[in-house]
Amino acid sequence: MLYVHTIGHIGKDSRVIAGTHGSFLAMDIAVDDYSKGQSVATWVRVRSNKEGHIRLSEYLTKGRLVLVEGTLSYSLWEDKNGDSQVQLSITADSIAFVNSGKRNATGNDADEEPVKAAGNTPVPPADTPQDDADDLPF
């Protein structure tokens, strides 16, 4: 058994599915991995039958950043081209919202898009410490 902790963005609004053994929460999250300067998203299916998670379903909406802890499993399937694919799934023990940064007056994350100066060079936020050339360790 693999017990994992992962952070990802919800791909579509979560849904509650009523089954023969009770209701459960279902959602898919995109977990970003950075390799060789490129971002690659791995999709992970998340399921939970915990009552607390089912009650949170209305807040688990597309784009929200969440931390999921639970047991990882996988299944193999073939796509329409006949290629083998792997579906990763987590049976969640814990789901938590992750704060993605400070909110500004418009309700958007302040860190999402830095203001650009002339020449399209990002301007760091005012509270970002600047490097002092005399204080560098090299």
Side-chain angles (χ1 to χ4, degrees), residues 29-76:
I29 62 171
V31 178
D32 290 328
D33 182 28
Y34 297 94
S35 177
K36 299 180 183 176
Q38 294 185 348
S39 175
V40 178
T42 301
W43 287 95
V44 180
R45 184 155 288 162
V46 177
R47 302 288 181 261
S48 175
N49 63 353
K50 295 183 182 260
E51 185 62 34
H53 296 162
I54 293 170
R55 282 184 290 194
L56 280 178
S57 66
E58 66 182 286
Y59 304 104
L60 296 169
T61 56
K62 180 178 180 176
R64 297 285 307 254
L65 190 61
V66 292
L67 166 68
V68 178
E69 300 177 25
T71 307
L72 179 70
S73 61
Y74 69 93
S75 59
L76 300 173

Side-chain angles (χ1 to χ4, degrees), residues 14-38:
S14 67
R15 56 200 181 282
V16 176
I17 300 171
T20 57
H21 298 288
S23 298
F24 66 95
L25 172 80
M27 66 181 173
D28 295 324
I29 62 171
V31 178
D32 290 328
D33 182 28
Y34 297 94
S35 177
K36 299 180 183 176
Q38 294 185 348

